[in-house]
Amino acid sequence: DGGLAAWPGEHRVGPGEQTRPPVTRTPCPWPAGALAGVDEVAGPAAGTTVLDARAPERYRGDVEPVDPRAGHIPGARNLPLGRVLDPATGRLADPAALRERFAEVGVTEANASGVVASCGSGVSACLLLLALEHAGLGDGRLFVPSFSGWSSDGDRAVATGDAP
C-alpha cells in the first residue's frame, strides 16, 4: 500500500490516506407493529395488499432456484424490486414514478397502509417498504418469512402464473 497504513482502529475509505474511526452500531428490534404474521398473509383482511418483490419468473413459478416449491403466496401481487429503482442510477426512483408503479399493482394513497411486503427471504421486501415511504404513501409491514417460509410449509397453497 505504499506505506500509507491506517492508524490502529481506523479503516481506509478510498485512495490515499483517507481514514475514519470505526463505527459502533447498536442493534435494535424491528417494531412489532411493522411486522405481519403468516395468518395475516394467508387470509388477508379487506384493505391488505401483499406485494412480492421477487423477479416475475420466480413469482409466476417458472423457475425456483432456492425454495422447495415454485410460485407465490396466493393473493400476492408482483412488484419486482427492479421496478422501484431508477434504471439510470440504480437508486430509488423519484416519488412520482414510485406512486405510478405502486398504482399499477393496486396500491394508492387510500390503501397503502395495508401493504405487506414479501420476497424470497424478507430482505428485498424491505426495499419495497422504503420505496412506499419514499413515494409518500406511508408505512407498510414486512412478512419476514416471505416465500421461503411460506413454501416450506407443505400445508400452505402456492399459486402460479401472473394472477395474484
Side-chain angles (χ1 to χ4, degrees):
D1 71 13
L4 299 174
W7 289 96
E10 292 185 324
H11 306 279
R12 188 162 302 186
V13 290
E17 298 180 59
Q18 297 177 350
T19 60
R20 64 178 181 171
V23 176
T24 301
R25 293 182 175 88
T26 304
C28 60
W30 194 290
L35 303 176
V38 69
D39 292 335
E40 295 171 84
V41 175
T48 298
T49 304
V50 179
L51 295 180
D52 187 325
R54 293 176 304 145
E57 57 274 12
R58 286 188 70 197
Y59 172 84
R60 288 190 305 264
D62 299 345
V63 298
E64 185 45 66
V66 178
D67 296 316
R69 296 186 290 160
H72 59 271
I73 298 168
R77 300 172 188 186
N78 190 215
L79 180 57
L81 183 62
R83 295 278 299 138
V84 300
L85 302 176
D86 179 326
T89 66
R91 296 179 178 187
L92 279 176
D94 68 75
L98 288 172
R99 284 190 294 278
E100 287 178 20
R101 291 171 190 153
F102 280 110
E104 290 169 3
V105 293
V107 176
T108 64
E109 195 170 337
N111 67 357
S113 64
V115 167
V116 173
S118 177
C119 58
S121 61
V123 176
S124 298
C126 293
L127 189 57
L128 285 187
L129 296 175
L130 289 171
L132 189 71
E133 190 171 338
H134 185 61
L137 296 172
D139 300 328
R141 294 178 298 144
L142 176 66
F143 178 51
V144 175
S146 286
F147 190 70
S148 288
W150 182 273
S151 66
S152 294
D153 182 344
D155 292 334
R156 298 215 179 268
V158 171
T160 57
D162 286 317

